[in-house]
Amino acid sequence: MTLAPCLAQDKGRRYDAMFLEFICEREKGHNDAAFDLLRHCVEIDSTRSEAWFYLAQYYAALKDKDTSLAYAKRAAELDPDNTTYLETLAQAYMGQRDFQQAAETLEKLYDKSRDRDDVLGMLVQLYEQQEAYDKAIDALSRLEVMEGKSERLSYAKSQLYTQKGDKKAAIAEMKLLADQYPNDNGYRCLYANTLYQNGQQKKAVALYEGILKEEPDNRMAQLAMLAYYHDEKDTLRQNQMTEQVLLNKNTTLQDRLALMRQVIAESEQQQGGDSTRVLQLFHRMLAMPDTEADVAIFCATYMNLKKMPQDSIRPVLERALEIAPDNAAARLQLVSYAWREENQDRVIALCQDARQYNPDEMAFYYYQGIAYYQKEQLDDALNAFQNGISVINDQSDPDIVSDFYAVMGDIMHQKGREQEAFAAYDSCLQWKDDNIGCLNNYAYYLSEKGLQLDKAEQMSFRTIKAEPKNATYLDTYAWILFMQKRYSEARIYIDQTLQCDSDSSAVLLEHAGDIYYHVGDKEKAVTLWQQALERTTDDKPLGTEDRRAILTRKVKLKKYLKE
């Protein structure tokens, strides 16, 4: 007589011990061991719900939806009052797209947790998915009891009535809300919208007109009347209402931009792309005291698409900056205009302001640095680039970063800081190993110093492979071959250089003369040196008195002079 209770007690102890061990293994993150322990728990006692519940979770993680659902269902059957089990089971049903069973499970959950508004919200969605509109409306009514009548719930119920085909009930629902708040024109508008959607346009329009008499700037009523005039093809009134909506201080930016897209589309389709009215609307909006920068940007974009002159677009972009000085897009476009006009002072000023409003935008440091560099203000250029480097990160544009370091290297070289120049070039090539301009300059400056000529030759060869008719790159390669005493090869490339550059510089001609001297053609060398001397005299910025003196001696002595 006492054997069965003892066996049950022993089974219970073994189950509890095994389940406790499962908990410990799970806490340690030993999921395989925990999974095996759970299965042993079920073997010991299949009437205990918690093991089935946790097994359902493991099978869900293994993407075995059918087994997970079966185990979640078993756990809920063994402990039907456990709300966690019911919620998990409902989610499993939804994962299987069994919305009917999911809804039935959630109804059981709601019976046990009457304060769960989220459960009612899920029920509304599930019933609507099944087109069970009466049940969805009932769930919303229960939510209404819990939360009180509101625009959100009334509107949702009205929409469900409309989907159900019960126009009368849809209208009545919104009328009830409007009657409850008779002084709220927002609710009156919603009621009018429902009338309009359900075939009672005249009554709806009368309501809209009444609202606009009381409140001329009511955005909802204006938008509704705009849609009405569009439906009626009343172009005159539609255009008038369009202006009222666009110039209404209560109109949202989203509505304003959407309406302008519609105006532009109609202009392109119906008026052959005439921009007159579109621009008038844009300019009237931009004249408003509280207009948004996005309106100005949209206007500038439209003007660009219509290929309008920069002089007409520039004031629009400046208006955008006046509204929002931190608008990087507008400022970058203004910088691009100044850049095309070679107005370095304007570029510098725009970028200087940007460094205050957009300190992390690398492009502004780049353009400012280049503008200073073009003005030969090397210290200012270097300062701009060095400040720009401080904002470089993993998401920075490699092309821009590479050019940052390339120009810094050029500046360092001009300032006689060779090691810093070479370090900058190395950084440049780390970001973009095919930066051709950097490869050329780096190679040439190394050859000038007689340093790492093999490395210089490899870099220079990449430039002529990329641009085989670039005289500057060919000259550099020929000169590096000369420095390596590969004179015959050097002559091949210097000849190509002269062919590609009909107006050769003094430096190039002198290089050619030095190469021809070393291949034994002294007469040709002297001729080239003489031409270089003439170019040096005529083009003083490329030469100095010392350079002319050396060339003069070469011509006079008919001999190569090593400097």
Side-chain angles (χ1 to χ4, degrees):
M1 295 290 293
T2 59
L3 184 59
C6 287
L7 287 173
Q9 198 173 44
D10 180 58
K11 183 169 71 171
R13 280 197 298 268
R14 284 190 297 123
Y15 177 94
D16 290 341
M18 191 72 68
F19 192 80
L20 180 60
E21 191 174 347
F22 150 70
I23 294 293
C24 293
E25 291 299 319
R26 191 182 70 155
E27 289 296 317
K28 294 175 185 176
H30 300 162
N31 290 319
D32 289 343
F35 184 63
D36 288 337
L37 287 165
L38 274 177
R39 289 191 294 180
H40 286 310
C41 286
V42 170
E43 290 171 3
I44 293 169
D45 189 350
S46 62
T47 65
R48 300 283 291 271
S49 63
E50 56 271 9
W52 294 104
F53 172 72
Y54 284 108
L55 276 170
Q57 293 183 338
Y58 277 103
Y59 278 108
L62 293 169
K63 309 296 184 187
D64 187 344
K65 292 183 178 180
D66 291 338
T67 304
S68 176
L69 174 60
Y71 285 12
K73 186 177 179 182
R74 180 64 176 147
E77 287 170 349
L78 290 168
D79 188 358
D81 292 328
N82 190 308
T83 56
T84 300
Y85 294 175
L86 288 170
E87 189 164 357
T88 302
L89 178 58
Q91 290 170 350
Y93 278 128
M94 284 189 275
Q96 295 282 57
R97 300 191 67 78
D98 189 342
F99 300 131
Q100 182 176 345
Q101 289 292 338
E104 289 178 10
T105 305
L106 287 173
E107 288 288 9
K108 292 176 184 177
L109 175 57
Y110 178 70
D111 284 340
K112 299 179 187 307
S113 303
R114 293 279 178 163
D115 60 342
R116 293 284 301 270
D117 58 348
D118 60 320
V119 174
L120 288 172
M122 285 189 283
L123 280 168
V124 172
Q125 293 178 37
L126 287 170
Y127 287 137
E128 187 173 4
Q129 194 113 23
Q130 300 171 70
E131 297 184 3
Y133 298 122
D134 287 336
K135 290 182 177 180
I137 291 165
D138 176 68
L140 280 171
S141 296
R142 284 181 275 169
L143 260 176
E144 215 165 36
V145 171
M146 188 184 298
E147 297 180 0
K149 201 163 189 64
S150 69
E151 173 188 336
R152 177 178 66 87
L153 296 178
S154 294
Y155 185 74
K157 285 174 74 176
S158 179
Q159 289 297 102
L160 286 169
Y161 280 124
T162 298
Q163 288 174 263
K164 181 185 172 184
D166 191 343
K167 296 182 178 182
K168 186 176 180 181
I171 292 170
E173 184 64 38
M174 294 311 294
K175 185 177 187 306
L176 191 63
L177 180 68
D179 289 345
Q180 188 173 340
Y181 302 98
N183 297 321
D184 191 320
N185 282 330
Y187 292 144
R188 289 174 67 196
C189 260
L190 288 173
Y191 171 44
N193 290 348
T194 308
L195 287 167
Y196 198 96
Q197 291 169 9
N198 288 279
Q200 297 190 29
Q201 282 87 354
K202 287 185 179 180
K203 193 171 181 181
V205 169
L207 268 173
Y208 294 139
E209 289 174 343
I211 292 166
L212 289 173
K213 282 182 182 177
E214 295 177 18
E215 190 183 344
D217 285 339
N218 187 290
R219 177 181 66 88
M220 291 175 64
Q222 284 185 342
L223 288 169
M225 289 301 293
L226 179 60
Y228 169 69
Y229 292 139
H230 179 270
D231 291 345
E232 293 293 306
K233 295 182 172 49
D234 188 338
T235 305
L236 177 61
R237 290 187 178 180
Q238 181 185 342
N239 289 345
Q240 291 172 343
M241 187 55 71
T242 294
E243 292 186 23
Q244 288 183 45
V245 173
L246 290 173
L247 301 177
N248 185 350
K249 64 182 186 301
N250 298 322
T251 300
T252 65
L253 174 63
Q254 184 178 2
D255 284 341
R256 222 185 296 275
L257 296 180
L259 185 50
M260 279 307 300
R261 291 189 192 97
Q262 182 180 324
V263 169
I264 291 169
E266 290 174 355
S267 169
E268 295 298 315
Q269 293 169 5
Q270 300 169 12
Q271 300 164 28
D274 184 2
S275 61
T276 306
R277 179 168 178 266
V278 176
L279 289 178
Q280 284 176 347
L281 291 172
F282 268 126
H283 290 313
R284 290 187 66 186
M285 283 189 285
L286 291 174
M288 294 169 63
D290 297 322
T291 194
E292 302 92 343
D294 286 353
V295 173
I297 295 296
F298 190 14
C299 178
T301 302
Y302 172 74
M303 295 172 79
N304 272 316
L305 289 172
K306 300 299 286 186
K307 303 187 184 308
M308 295 183 179
Q310 291 181 14
D311 287 346
S312 64
I313 303 174
R314 187 181 290 108
V316 177
L317 295 169
E318 288 171 348
R319 175 65 172 136
L321 286 186
E322 182 185 323
I323 299 163
D326 61 344
N327 192 300
R331 196 177 296 275
L332 275 171
Q333 196 166 339
L334 285 169
V335 167
S336 74
Y337 288 169
W339 188 266
R340 289 176 212 163
E341 295 165 356
E342 299 183 2
N343 187 343
Q344 287 94 347
D345 290 335
R346 178 65 174 153
V347 171
I348 290 167
L350 284 165
C351 292
Q352 189 62 40
D353 289 341
R355 289 172 61 174
Q356 174 185 351
Y357 294 108
N358 309 101
D360 297 328
E361 182 56 63
M362 191 173 58
F364 292 118
Y365 298 93
Y366 174 75
Y367 285 114
Q368 186 180 44
I370 294 292
Y372 275 129
Y373 184 59
Q374 291 175 341
K375 286 171 63 71
E376 299 183 6
Q377 295 177 223
L378 300 187
D379 289 336
D380 291 324
L382 195 56
N383 176 268
F385 285 123
Q386 287 172 332
N387 278 288
I389 285 171
S390 67
V391 303
I392 292 173
N393 56 48
D394 293 340
Q395 279 70 51
S396 297
D397 185 336
D399 290 340
I400 294 181
V401 178
S402 177
D403 284 345
F404 255 71
Y405 283 111
V407 181
M408 282 180 63
D410 294 344
I411 294 171
M412 296 291 191
H413 175 76
Q414 290 183 46
K415 293 174 74 65
R417 294 156 60 175
E418 298 297 344
Q419 292 308 310
E420 292 174 85
F422 296 154
Y425 290 142
D426 284 330
S427 295
C428 164
L429 296 175
Q430 284 178 5
W431 279 88
K432 190 172 185 289
D433 66 359
D434 61 347
N435 188 312
I436 302 302
C438 173
L439 286 167
N440 177 76
N441 291 357
Y442 195 2
Y444 185 71
Y445 296 146
L446 283 173
S447 70
E448 276 192 325
K449 298 293 181 181
L451 300 171
Q452 303 181 61
L453 291 178
D454 288 342
K455 176 181 177 179
E457 188 269 336
Q458 290 171 9
M459 290 193 294
S460 181
F461 185 71
R462 291 183 67 186
T463 70
I464 63 169
K465 289 288 286 183
E467 298 185 25
K469 294 189 177 182
N470 186 305
T472 300
Y473 298 165
L474 286 165
D475 175 48
T476 296
Y477 190 63
W479 186 246
I480 293 170
L481 293 174
F482 173 83
M483 293 295 291
Q484 291 179 312
K485 299 183 179 180
R486 296 160 61 182
Y487 301 126
S488 296
E489 293 174 77
R491 187 181 68 176
I492 293 171
Y493 284 99
I494 204 67
D495 284 347
Q496 290 182 34
T497 306
L498 294 169
Q499 290 173 9
C500 293
D501 187 355
S502 58
D503 188 24
S504 304
S505 68
V507 173
L508 192 158
L509 291 165
E510 186 177 0
H511 285 171
D514 293 349
I515 291 169
Y516 267 93
Y517 182 88
H518 281 82
V519 295
D521 192 340
K522 295 182 180 179
E523 185 177 343
K524 176 76 169 177
V526 172
T527 299
L528 289 164
W529 287 334
Q530 181 63 48
Q531 290 174 3
L533 181 60
E534 292 168 0
R535 293 288 170 88
T536 302
T537 302
D538 294 337
D539 195 3
K540 292 182 181 179
L542 292 176
T544 64
E545 293 296 333
D546 291 340
R547 186 84 258 135
R548 285 196 290 275
I550 292 169
L551 279 167
T552 300
R553 290 180 63 204
K554 284 182 177 181
V555 171
K556 185 175 181 180
L557 298 174
K558 301 182 179 180
K559 180 179 179 182
Y560 170 75
L561 299 174
K562 187 174 182 179
E563 300 172 39

